[in-house]
Amino acid sequence: MAATELRGVVGPGPAAIAAPGGGGGAGPPMVGGGGAGGRGDSGPGSGIAPGTVAAVAAGGPGPGAGGVAAAGPAPAPPAGGSGAGGSGSAREGWLFKWTNYIKGYQRRWFVLSNGLLSYYRSKAEMRHTCRGTINLATANITVEDSCNFIISNGGAQTYHLKASSEVERQRWVTALELAKAKAVKMLAESDESGDEESVSQTDKTELQNTLRTLSSKVEDLSTCNDLIAKHGTALQRSLSELESLRLPAESNEKIKQVNERATLFRITSNAMINACRDFLVLAQTHSKKWQKSLQYERDQRIRLEETLEQLAKQHNHLERAFRGATVLPANAPGSAGSGKGQCCSGKGDVSDEDDENEFFDAPEIITVPENLGHKRTGSNISGTSSDISLDEQYKHQLEETKKEKRTRIPYKPNYSLNLWSIMKNCIGKELSKIPMPVNFNEPLSMLQRLTEDLEYHELLDRAAKCENSLEQLCYVAAFTVSSYSTTVFRTSKPFNPLLGETFELDRLEENGYRSLCEQVSHHPPAAAHHAESRNGWTLRQEIKITSKFRGKYLSIMPLGSIHCIFHATGHHYTWKKVTTTVHNIIVGKLWIDQSGEIDIVNHKTGDKCNLKFVPYSYFSRDVARKVTGEVTDPSGKVHFALLGTWDEKMECFKVQPVIGENGGDARQRGHEAEESRVMLWKRNPLPKNAENMYYFSELALTLNAWEAGTAPTDSRLRPDQRLMENGRWDEANAEKQRLEEKQRLSRKKREAEAMKATEDGTPYDPYKALWFERKKDPVTKELTHIYRGGYWECKEKQDWSSCPDIF
């Protein structure tokens, strides 16, 4: 039968097939029950709703059920039988809805559109009053019997519905299942929209509508494909049964069933052909427009990159010219060193240079290299003598005794770097998954940076001696703020630890504590930390670092809780870190800010401290890097107020209630309590020449110093990090690539073993940390890694047989 005899087009959707014959009189079997001329009850050819090809072909009932009538005059349309009219909805029509035991089932007009099923008392009521709506994305559809089915979204809404026939019920159920699948898919694919602006709002809307239509067409094709497979299977089963018949009385019945299946199969095949044709026409129509829009976006991006690049080059030339004017006269005998002065004196004609894409991301004052690329300059080595090599400097450091901690590291070399050529491809991405050269790094790993939280461990020592829990909370709050003081000038990123990498810090003899960190996850990167002190406290945490580069700034968001437990009192404190933002990534001097709030909770007493890190603003008169806080008891009464900055100091004073103007209590103002303020914490000064040593603190300078007896997975033994500290950056980059490739191969090997175990049905143990165990925290109820013990015992025995080979 020709395809033109099977088509009846309704609206903008794919062909809606009304009947395989042209008229309503005698002829081939009718599908969907059209009247004379092939009309349904909702419009011409409404057997299938626009955009929902499957509504008609979901599998008919047995003979005589009304889905496929025999040849002859067409029956009247069923009471519930309706496709969509011109409204653009997926399906609409009459169904019977259960109301209550008195009225029973009542006839209601139902409309299925955009994943929502709504109902009205009549079709006319659609203009003004909706009686109820249920979202199919979270709904369950259950068939009760031949005509009844139930739609429920978990108890809040439940519709008991009844169709006029089994065919009508099947059509509704098929349309509902299809709409639900679309709604779930849209919900899963919905994501945070970016900051890009389209060419114009009109073009954006038109493009979205076109894409939505194309998506609907593709889904229709997929649905038709599934239905063809379904009906083909049913047809083959019927034919098999027909061949196995023996009694002539059964032949007519089976032949009738085969004819019904064949009709449905033919209708669905034609619908698929029509949908393919419509899809191709639509795609060809909009192809040129899409190409034009895409080319426009590409041109815009290229222009933006060129503008930013030119701006950065101009800024860099201005900075170099400024340094040339200010550094040249400062070449005195008491200056920072002769090497630096000689380098600066050789750049008088710096403005005549035409270096392509050359600018830096170093925050400190740096000198200009003679040529591009990773070449050493005279300013690489500073100090008492510029003739000493970096290797000799490091060898001299290793000769220091264990108790005399090193106070300096090789100075940071001055290497040029095309920053924009690397960062322009990182916008909006997770930086932990992007391979970066060591030029962006400092010679410490993230595990060592985590250990730097213990820089001011004496605050916890003092807190452990406090008898008053509220006073103890003040010292814990000061310790929390102090961990950010080391970041104020630290704009370089630490090395991402390898999976299984560890770092120990044994200060038991000098300071009474020892600490252990381990990288317990690679993607997402997560590190577990455990520190214990003989002065009566334990600190543990698991931190996952997520970072996003947004073009102008880099946001670093630590996830995870920090726990501090005091042994004598059993007080258990928890808190989370705030967001760190690195500004002026492309142009200008890099600077760091902390913003957000920290809630420190004592889970034993219910005391709380709320700390507010005020973000810096050019228009604010407040002190930069300001932090304020309040210590409250379980009833919410404020006992202490804290104020200060996260890079300098923190003070507190006891809040004394004073009588207000109306006779009520009022809290004491900060300026009224200056005499009663107590200094909780003050930042230690940076070492001499810290600007040449990555702005490391005294503790940070000692962290990468070689120590005997550490585990073979310790960060001090990481070769790329050591090469970078020694100033051999080219070799460090090559070594970093080797280590990352080795880790990548190990991950692929684990994935292959897991897949093989799954196929074989054998158990497979996923990667587990060596020194930490993942379990539910008894206080926060979060899954976290907690120290399982054994490290220091293994160190004492020097038994590292269980450690993996990661370097």
Side-chain angles (χ1 to χ4, degrees):
M1 186 174 292
T4 53
E5 295 178 334
L6 294 169
R7 297 187 63 239
V9 180
V10 181
I17 299 102
M30 299 289 291
V31 179
R39 294 179 59 88
D41 69 18
S42 194
S46 60
I48 300 180
T52 311
V53 187
V56 71
V68 181
S82 173
S87 63
S89 58
R91 184 170 181 79
E92 59 183 43
W94 291 105
L95 287 171
F96 293 94
K97 179 180 178 296
W98 175 264
T99 55
N100 52 51
Y101 285 101
I102 298 176
K103 295 185 178 180
Y105 283 96
Q106 296 292 318
R107 193 166 177 256
R108 296 287 183 261
W109 181 262
F110 278 81
V111 177
L112 173 60
S113 178
N114 296 325
L116 300 175
L117 179 66
S118 306
Y119 74 92
Y120 311 84
R121 286 188 176 176
S122 64
K123 189 174 181 179
E125 200 179 52
M126 290 175 60
R127 302 192 194 97
H128 52 82
T129 305
C130 178
R131 300 293 174 176
T133 301
I134 191 167
N135 188 352
L136 295 178
T138 57
N140 293 321
I141 303 169
T142 308
V143 177
E144 279 194 312
D145 52 33
S146 60
C147 296
N148 292 43
F149 59 101
I150 301 173
I151 305 174
S152 174
N153 63 357
Q157 290 174 292
T158 302
Y159 294 170
H160 294 264
L161 305 176
K162 182 167 68 173
S164 58
S165 66
E166 185 177 356
V167 178
E168 189 63 22
R169 186 265 299 160
Q170 186 59 42
R171 290 173 180 170
W172 271 104
V173 170
T174 303
L176 290 168
E177 292 285 3
L178 180 63
K180 177 183 176 180
K182 290 182 180 179
V184 171
K185 185 177 180 182
M186 290 177 63
L187 190 65
E189 292 178 352
S190 63
D191 195 8
E192 188 179 320
S193 60
D195 298 327
E196 299 96 6
E197 294 183 359
S198 299
V199 180
S200 68
Q201 189 63 32
T202 305
D203 290 346
K204 181 179 179 181
T205 304
E206 186 177 352
L207 184 61
Q208 288 178 344
N209 291 336
T210 304
L211 290 175
R212 195 179 297 114
T213 305
L214 286 177
S215 177
S216 175
K217 296 289 184 182
V218 172
E219 290 175 2
D220 286 343
L221 292 177
S222 177
T223 304
C224 288
N225 184 53
D226 295 339
L227 290 171
I228 286 175
K230 175 183 175 182
H231 294 315
T233 303
L235 183 59
Q236 290 174 355
R237 191 184 305 115
S238 298
L239 291 172
S240 299
E241 293 173 355
L242 184 61
E243 292 174 356
S244 63
L245 288 179
R246 295 180 179 179
L247 299 175
E250 298 179 359
S251 300
N252 294 333
E253 193 72 20
K254 292 297 180 181
I255 291 172
K256 185 177 180 181
Q257 185 178 356
V258 170
N259 288 334
E260 292 172 356
R261 297 293 181 183
T263 303
L264 287 171
F265 190 78
R266 185 173 63 254
I267 291 172
T268 308
S269 301
N270 280 278
M272 184 172 183
I273 293 171
N274 295 331
C276 288
R277 187 198 62 251
D278 293 342
F279 177 80
L280 290 175
V281 170
L282 192 59
Q284 291 171 357
T285 304
H286 290 82
S287 176
K288 293 182 179 179
K289 189 171 184 178
W290 290 337
Q291 290 178 359
K292 185 177 179 181
S293 299
L294 180 61
Q295 187 59 42
Y296 179 85
E297 293 296 333
R298 286 174 176 168
D299 295 342
Q300 285 287 85
R301 178 178 176 179
I302 292 173
R303 280 195 292 270
L304 178 62
E305 289 181 2
E306 291 175 349
T307 302
L308 282 173
E309 195 170 336
Q310 188 64 30
L311 181 61
K313 286 175 62 178
Q314 292 174 2
H315 181 86
N316 180 54
H317 286 308
L318 289 173
E319 271 194 350
R320 287 167 18 184
F322 173 75
R323 286 196 297 272
T326 56
V327 176
L328 275 173
N331 191 13
S335 62
S338 60
K340 187 172 180 178
Q342 291 171 2
C343 182
C344 292
S345 63
K347 61 172 186 176
D349 56 345
V350 67
S351 60
D352 296 330
E353 294 180 2
D354 190 22
D355 298 335
E356 187 68 22
N357 299 334
E358 180 187 358
F359 52 96
F360 311 94
D361 73 328
E364 64 272 15
I365 293 179
I366 54 178
T367 55
V368 180
E370 294 295 330
N371 297 303
L372 285 175
H374 289 175
K375 295 185 179 180
R376 297 270 297 278
T377 67
S379 64
N380 289 356
I381 306 168
S382 182
T384 55
S385 173
S386 60
D387 297 327
I388 303 175
S389 70
L390 290 171
D391 290 336
E392 289 174 349
Q393 287 186 24
Y394 180 61
K395 194 179 296 182
H396 173 70
Q397 293 164 9
L398 291 182
E399 293 173 357
E400 297 177 353
T401 62
K402 182 177 179 181
K403 290 190 176 181
E404 292 180 358
K405 305 299 179 186
R406 69 177 185 178
T407 58
R408 62 192 297 269
I409 60 174
Y411 282 1
K412 179 181 181 180
N414 178 31
Y415 290 155
S416 64
L417 177 67
N418 187 346
L419 175 66
W420 177 244
S421 65
I422 297 173
M423 297 302 287
K424 68 183 180 182
N425 296 320
C426 303
I427 297 177
K429 296 182 180 178
E430 169 63 54
L431 291 189
S432 64
K433 299 182 181 180
I434 300 170
M436 306 286 280
V438 299
N439 306 57
F440 288 99
N441 289 32
E442 62 182 19
L444 289 178
S445 76
M446 190 63 211
L447 302 181
Q448 292 164 315
R449 282 289 289 265
L450 209 57
T451 307
E452 282 191 69
D453 286 357
L454 300 172
E455 173 102 16
Y456 300 94
H457 61 89
E458 63 271 8
L459 291 171
L460 296 181
D461 295 343
R462 275 185 252 165
K465 298 176 182 178
C466 290
E467 297 180 358
N468 187 313
S469 63
L470 295 169
E471 292 179 3
Q472 186 180 71
L473 185 51
C474 292
Y475 283 107
V476 174
F479 173 79
T480 303
V481 176
S482 71
S483 64
Y484 295 98
S485 64
T486 61
T487 66
V488 62
F489 300 117
R490 302 272 289 278
T491 52
S492 300
K493 75 182 281 285
F495 279 78
N496 290 331
L498 303 174
L499 186 64
E501 185 175 334
T502 60
F503 178 74
E504 67 158 75
L505 185 66
D506 191 350
R507 295 287 190 268
L508 209 56
E509 294 181 8
E510 303 96 316
N511 306 117
Y513 73 88
R514 57 187 181 184
S515 162
L516 176 67
C517 292
E518 181 181 2
Q519 187 76 359
V520 296
S521 173
H522 184 54
H523 282 313
H529 180 208
H530 179 89
E532 53 190 15
S533 171
R534 60 172 56 157
N535 295 323
W537 54 265
T538 297
L539 184 78
R540 60 179 173 86
Q541 58 182 319
E542 180 184 347
I543 298 297
K544 299 179 180 68
I545 300 294
T546 60
S547 55
K548 288 286 186 179
F549 176 54
R550 298 298 187 184
K552 293 181 180 180
Y553 60 89
L554 171 67
S555 294
I556 302 168
M557 297 148 284
L559 306 175
S561 298
I562 304 171
H563 299 252
C564 183
I565 303 101
F566 292 97
H567 306 159
T569 59
H571 291 166
H572 190 143
Y573 298 90
T574 62
W575 66 90
K576 296 179 184 290
K577 290 180 175 285
V578 295
T579 298
T580 300
T581 307
V582 184
H583 295 270
N584 291 348
I585 293 291
I586 301 301
V587 178
K589 184 177 180 180
L590 294 174
W591 59 280
I592 288 178
D593 197 19
Q594 316 286 349
S595 59
E597 295 189 17
I598 294 178
D599 287 319
I600 308 173
V601 181
N602 185 337
H603 291 274
K604 182 177 180 181
T605 63
D607 301 334
K608 290 184 180 181
C609 176
N610 175 258
L611 293 173
K612 295 182 180 179
F613 288 69
V614 182
Y616 177 76
S617 172
Y618 290 104
F619 307 103
S620 174
R621 296 183 179 181
D622 276 340
V623 180
R625 310 181 184 99
K626 181 179 179 181
V627 180
T628 61
E630 291 182 343
V631 175
T632 60
D633 60 19
S635 65
K637 180 181 178 182
V638 179
H639 290 263
F640 290 94
L642 295 88
L643 66 157
T645 59
W646 53 264
D647 66 323
E648 284 293 338
K649 63 181 181 179
M650 283 299 294
E651 299 175 328
C652 79
F653 63 89
K654 192 171 182 61
V655 175
Q656 302 290 346
V658 296
I659 304 300
E661 296 180 359
N662 299 326
D665 289 346
R667 276 188 284 163
Q668 188 176 10
R669 300 291 181 183
H671 63 83
E672 297 173 357
E674 290 183 4
E675 296 180 358
S676 62
R677 290 184 186 179
V678 176
M679 178 71 70
L680 296 173
W681 160 76
K682 187 174 183 180
R683 180 173 67 93
N684 297 327
L686 288 173
K688 186 179 180 181
N689 297 322
E691 67 277 6
N692 298 322
M693 299 183 291
Y694 309 90
Y695 286 95
F696 281 178
S697 64
E698 290 183 0
L699 175 63
L701 287 173
T702 68
L703 293 180
N704 208 41
W706 183 86
E707 290 185 12
T710 59
T713 54
D714 196 90
S715 298
R716 299 175 180 89
L717 304 177
R718 181 166 174 165
D720 55 346
Q721 187 173 305
R722 181 66 66 192
L723 286 167
M724 185 206 172
E725 183 182 271
N726 291 345
R728 296 152 65 176
W729 284 16
D730 287 333
E731 296 174 56
N733 275 318
E735 190 64 22
K736 184 171 182 285
Q737 291 182 5
R738 182 190 70 82
L739 291 175
E740 289 172 350
E741 183 61 27
K742 183 176 181 179
Q743 181 172 239
R744 200 173 294 115
L745 292 175
S746 298
R747 189 190 74 244
K748 289 181 178 178
K749 182 180 177 182
R750 287 194 302 271
E751 291 174 351
E753 290 174 354
M755 186 176 297
K756 186 176 185 302
T758 303
E759 293 174 354
D760 297 342
T762 58
Y764 174 77
D765 292 332
Y767 176 83
K768 293 181 181 178
L770 186 58
W771 308 110
F772 290 80
E773 182 181 6
R774 192 166 189 260
K775 56 185 178 181
K776 182 179 288 188
D777 185 87
V779 175
T780 62
K781 307 303 180 186
E782 298 174 346
L783 278 176
T784 185
H785 282 84
I786 299 177
Y787 180 58
R788 70 172 77 206
Y791 179 87
W792 303 106
E793 291 78 8
C794 288
K795 182 181 180 182
E796 188 176 349
K797 300 174 185 175
Q798 283 299 294
D799 178 15
W800 303 118
S801 56
S802 58
C803 292
D805 176 22
I806 59 174
F807 297 143

